[in-house]
Amino acid sequence: RDFNVARIERYLVLTREVLAEAERGPHPEAIRRAIEEGWVELRRIYVESEEHGIFLELRDRGFGSGEASSIAAASSEDKRWVFVSDDLDARREASRRGVGVVGTYGILAREVAEGKMSLEEGNGLLRRMIASGFRSHSDDLREESERLRSRR
């Protein structure tokens, strides 16, 4: 898949495990640039921490390092973070632990709802992602972006 990291007007925290996965992806320079620009922070999971215990439990249950470390970090931070993933099992696990979840579709819909991109731009990006293999329940952001806009 050929996706760029797109800046959204929020702060992003990545674990080192997620960074390692991103660096093996098609555009490692995008994530490195985001870190250098200061809108992405790297988070380390320390061996003696509560996070590390959660990380090990999730790895033992078959979650990948990136998902396990991200859920662990979000679970131990007073549930104030939102876990971003398109992996349904990982999203369910984060939600089960009381962590808010969102996926790519939801992020794009919010960007449209907040006027940061037009519906046409959002749908165009979503449809290019789908054509590249991204799975989505819909190829149109209109209904979700309108729902989000009405909640503001």
Side-chain angles (χ1 to χ4, degrees):
R1 295 184 186 154
D2 187 22
F3 305 122
N4 290 312
V5 175
R7 181 174 183 162
I8 57 175
E9 295 300 320
R10 289 174 179 71
Y11 188 67
L12 193 62
V13 177
L14 297 180
T15 64
R16 294 200 178 272
E17 292 80 5
V18 171
L19 177 62
E21 290 178 8
E23 286 181 333
R24 292 188 301 270
H27 296 288
E29 69 282 352
I31 198 70
R32 283 196 291 274
R33 187 173 53 252
I35 292 167
E36 289 168 9
E37 291 174 0
W39 63 275
V40 172
E41 174 189 327
L42 281 180
R43 171 92 182 211
R44 185 182 308 262
I45 304 265
Y46 293 97
V47 173
E48 298 298 322
S49 68
E50 172 191 358
E51 294 170 341
H52 192 254
I54 295 169
F55 171 77
L56 292 176
E57 172 200 337
L58 294 174
R59 289 292 292 139
D60 285 347
R61 290 180 41 209
F63 287 95
S65 292
E67 290 87 0
S69 63
S70 297
I71 294 169
S75 295
S76 66
E77 284 289 326
D78 299 325
K79 313 293 190 278
R80 62 188 171 125
W81 290 357
V82 174
F83 174 64
V84 180
S85 177
D86 292 316
D87 181 299
L88 184 58
D89 291 335
R91 287 170 55 138
R92 285 181 177 151
E93 179 62 28
S95 186
R96 186 184 74 74
R97 292 175 178 273
V99 175
V101 298
V102 68
T104 302
Y105 182 89
I107 290 171
L108 290 174
R110 182 165 305 279
E111 293 295 291
V112 170
E114 293 178 358
K116 294 177 183 166
M117 71 172 61
S118 70
L119 177 62
E120 293 73 25
E121 291 170 317
N123 279 340
L125 179 56
L126 177 61
R127 290 171 184 153
R128 285 191 305 278
M129 291 170 61
I130 291 169
S132 296
F134 178 76
R135 290 181 295 186
S136 177
H137 66 284
S138 174
D139 68 348
D140 193 333
L141 299 165
R142 181 179 309 276
E143 188 175 319
E144 182 64 8
S145 63
E146 288 175 357
R147 186 186 71 77
L148 291 169
R149 193 175 297 120
S150 71
R151 290 177 40 191
R152 294 170 71 185

